[in-house]
Amino acid sequence: MSDTDTPNADGDEIATETLPLDAWHRVHGGRMVEFAGYHMPVQYEGIMAEHLWVRESAGLFDVSHMGQLVFRAEGRVDVVAALEALLPADIAGLGEGKQRYSLLLAEDGGILDDLMVTRLPLVHPFAALAEEGVSEPTGWSPLDGDTPDIDSPQFYMVVNGATKIDDIAHLLEFLPDGIAINHLEDQALLALQGPKAVDAMARLVPGVADLVFMTAGAFDWNGVPLWISRSGYTGEDGFEISVPAEHVEALADALTAQDEVKPIGLGARDSLRLEAGLPLYGHDLDPATTPVQADLGFALSKRRREAGDFMGATRILAERAAGAETKRVGLLIEGRQPVREGAAVVDSAGGEVGRVTSGGFAPSVGAAIAMAYVPTALAAPGTTIQLSQRGKVHHATVTAMPFIPHRYVRAGGK
Amino acid sequence: MSRYFTEDHEWVDVDGDIGTVGISEYAQEQLGDIVFVDVPDEGKELTKGDEAAVVESVKAASDVYSPVSGTVIEANASLGDTPGLVNEDPEGDGWFYKLTLADPDELSELMDEIAYQAFVAKL
C-alpha cells in the first residue's frame, strides 16, 4: 500500500521550522506533517470527527505559519495610495477596525497571494512592538532620518505562510520609499471557529461578541494584548486572534479548557474551507490565474475597477469585460470516490479541457466535492461534466458554492 | 488458517488455496477516516504486487497491492456503503477481496504476524 497523493508538499527548499505551539500540538496528540515550511498538526483525533466538531461546536486552529504584516509611513508618504497601487481593494474606504479580503496581483494580472487587510486604529497592540523594535523588518531597515508619522494610517495584513517571503519581496520592490513593513514574527495566530466559538471566546475576552463579521479590534486578556477579528476560513462564525508568541500556549490552554473547544488540524481546515467554497492559494489560485477566472470579482471594488489604477488592471479589466475563458467552479461528484487536485476535466472525446484544483470527501455534505477550472461554457450550475482520474472517468455536476451555507454573524442582526 | 503480512501493510489469510486480503490495523491508523474503497472485480487475475484496490481516506488516495498472485473470487460488497468498516475492523470485517492462490510458494516471501509486529515497531 502506498500514498499516490502527497498532500501538503508546499515549500521544501529550506529546513522545516517549528512554530510556537509545536510542543503543545505534540502533547495534545497532533500528528505532525510539513506544511508551508513548518511542522504543523494535520490531525488530532481524526479529520472527520474534527471537521464535524467545528460545524457543531468550536475548534481551535494554529495558523501561526501565516505572515502578519503591519504597514506604516516612515515619512510623508500616503500609505493608502501605496497599498491601492498593489491591491484592487478600496483601501481608502476601509474604516478603522474594518477587514477586507484582497489579492496581491502581478503586473500581468496573475494572483500572487490572497490576503486579509485591516485598517488599524491609532491605538493597537502592534504599535508597541514596532516602537520597542521587537519585530523590526527582517532583512531591511526603515529609512534613516525619518520618524514615524503618527497620524498616518496603519494597516495590518495577513498573508499565506507558503508565500509570505515572496510577498514581502514583491511589496518591497513595488511599494514606494517611506513605507515601513513590519513582519510580526513574534506574533502567533490562532483561529477559533464554529457556532460556539463566540461563547468560548467571550468567556475569556468579554466584548468580542460585539464584533461582527470582518471587523477587528484590540482586546486585553489577563494583561496580554490581543488583536481579534471576527473572520475565518471555515464558513462558520469565529475569530482570528493575534497573540504574542510567548503567551500563545497559555491562550491555547485557556481556550481548549472550555467544553466547546477542541484542537483541530490542517486536514479538517482543508475540508472545512473546501465545503465553504473558499479557495486555497497554491492550489485553486496561483500566478497563472486571474481574479476573473477565479470568480473572485467581489475582491475588485467598484471604485478601483472604474479607476483601473491597480497592478494587473489592464488584463483583469479586459478579461472582466470580455469574459474569461475558464472559470473556477464547484463540483458535486457522483458516487463516493473523491476526485482530487490534478484530475482532468475532459470533454466527450476524452480531451482535457480543465483541471480539478481541490477535491475530497466533504464530511458535512456526505459526498465527494471539488473545485475545478472549466471552460466558461461549462461553468453554469447544473452543467454535467466528466472528470478523469487515474484512468477512471467520474461524472460531476457544476454546483454553486458554498457547498454548506456560510454562518457568519454580520452587522445588522444575527 | 495462517495470516501473512507485506511491508506495504497488506495482510492475507490463507485457508486451503483461498486467500483473503485486507490492510493492517497499522495501515488504517495511518490513513485515518476511510471514505471509499475501490475493490477488484470478480475474475480479475492478479500478479503479486499488482495494484489490486484503491483506498481513499479524507486526505489521500492509496493503492493496495496484491500480496499474492491469483484470481479474484469475491470482493467485500459491504465496503461500498460502509467503507468505515476498514477503520473499525481492518483485519476482520473490513477485508477487501478473496482470491484463489496461483502459487502458494509466494507466501514464504511474506512476514508472519510476529515478524510484522516487529517490522511495524521500527517504523
Side-chain angles (χ1 to χ4, degrees), chain A residues 1-4 31 48 340, chain B residues 8 10 33 56-57 61 63:
Chain A
M1 210 186 76
S2 75
D3 281 357
T4 50
R31 183 183 293 172
M48 195 91 82
R340 302 178 193 269
Chain B
D8 295 319
E10 294 92 6
D33 302 305
E56 301 251 9
S57 69
D63 290 320

Side-chain angles (χ1 to χ4, degrees), chain A residues 380-413:
Chain A
T383 308
T384 55
I385 61 169
Q386 294 188 85
L387 307 169
S388 172
Q389 174 173 260
R390 299 192 300 270
K392 187 170 164 184
V393 171
H394 299 258
H395 299 277
T397 305
V398 175
T399 306
M401 292 190 283
F403 297 95
I404 290 283
H406 293 160
R407 296 197 284 181
Y408 303 138
V409 174
R410 297 180 187 275

Side-chain angles (χ1 to χ4, degrees), chain A residues 223-283:
Chain A
V224 177
L226 305 178
W227 179 257
I228 302 178
S229 65
R230 197 151 192 176
S231 54
Y233 195 45
T234 60
E236 298 295 330
D237 183 28
F239 301 89
E240 292 173 296
I241 309 129
S242 180
V243 51
E246 67 265 33
H247 297 294
V248 67
E249 271 206 29
L251 181 57
D253 282 339
L255 286 167
T256 50
Q258 304 187 66
D259 290 344
E260 298 94 342
V261 183
K262 289 182 180 180
I264 308 295
L266 288 173
R269 181 170 165 83
D270 191 48
S271 56
L272 287 159
R273 70 88 196 169
L274 180 59
E275 285 184 344
L278 302 170
L280 174 60
Y281 193 82
H283 301 263

Side-chain angles (χ1 to χ4, degrees), chain A residues 1-7 31 42-43 46-49 267 271 335-340 359-361 363 389-390 392, chain B residues 8-10 23 27 29-36 38 54-65 80-81 83:
Chain A
M1 210 186 76
S2 75
D3 281 357
T4 50
D5 283 3
T6 308
R31 183 183 293 172
V42 66
Q43 67 172 66
I47 294 173
M48 195 91 82
S271 56
R336 288 183 61 102
Q337 185 166 18
V339 178
R340 302 178 193 269
F361 186 78
Q389 174 173 260
R390 299 192 300 270
K392 187 170 164 184
Chain B
D8 295 319
H9 310 287
E10 294 92 6
I23 67 170
E29 167 66 24
Q30 290 297 308
L31 288 169
D33 302 305
I34 288 163
V35 296
F36 180 83
D38 196 10
V54 175
V55 58
E56 301 251 9
S57 69
V58 175
K59 63 176 190 274
S62 304
D63 290 320
V64 174
Y65 304 113
D81 288 333

Side-chain angles (χ1 to χ4, degrees), chain B residues 44-59:
Chain B
K44 183 161 186 181
E45 304 274 342
L46 293 169
T47 300
K48 180 182 174 172
D50 278 357
E51 294 168 8
V54 175
V55 58
E56 301 251 9
S57 69
V58 175
K59 63 176 190 274

Side-chain angles (χ1 to χ4, degrees), chain B residues 17-18 27 32-33 41 55 64 69 74 76 93 99-100 107 118-119 121:
Chain B
D17 66 343
I18 305 295
D33 302 305
D41 293 332
V55 58
V64 174
S69 305
E74 186 185 355
N76 187 351
D93 290 345
L99 76 178
T100 52
L107 297 169
F119 170 74

Side-chain angles (χ1 to χ4, degrees), chain A residues 287-347:
Chain A
T289 56
T290 67
V292 182
Q293 294 165 6
D295 201 21
L296 297 174
F298 72 91
L300 310 170
S301 91
K302 183 163 181 280
R303 176 176 67 81
R304 305 302 315 284
R305 286 197 322 261
E306 287 171 354
D309 57 353
F310 54 90
M311 190 172 278
T314 309
R315 160 135 178 240
I316 289 167
L317 296 175
E319 202 171 60
R320 191 170 180 278
E325 285 182 17
T326 63
K327 195 178 161 200
R328 180 176 64 96
V329 297
L331 299 177
L332 197 57
I333 315 286
E334 269 179 38
R336 288 183 61 102
Q337 185 166 18
V339 178
R340 302 178 193 269
E341 179 178 6
V345 179
V346 294
D347 59 22

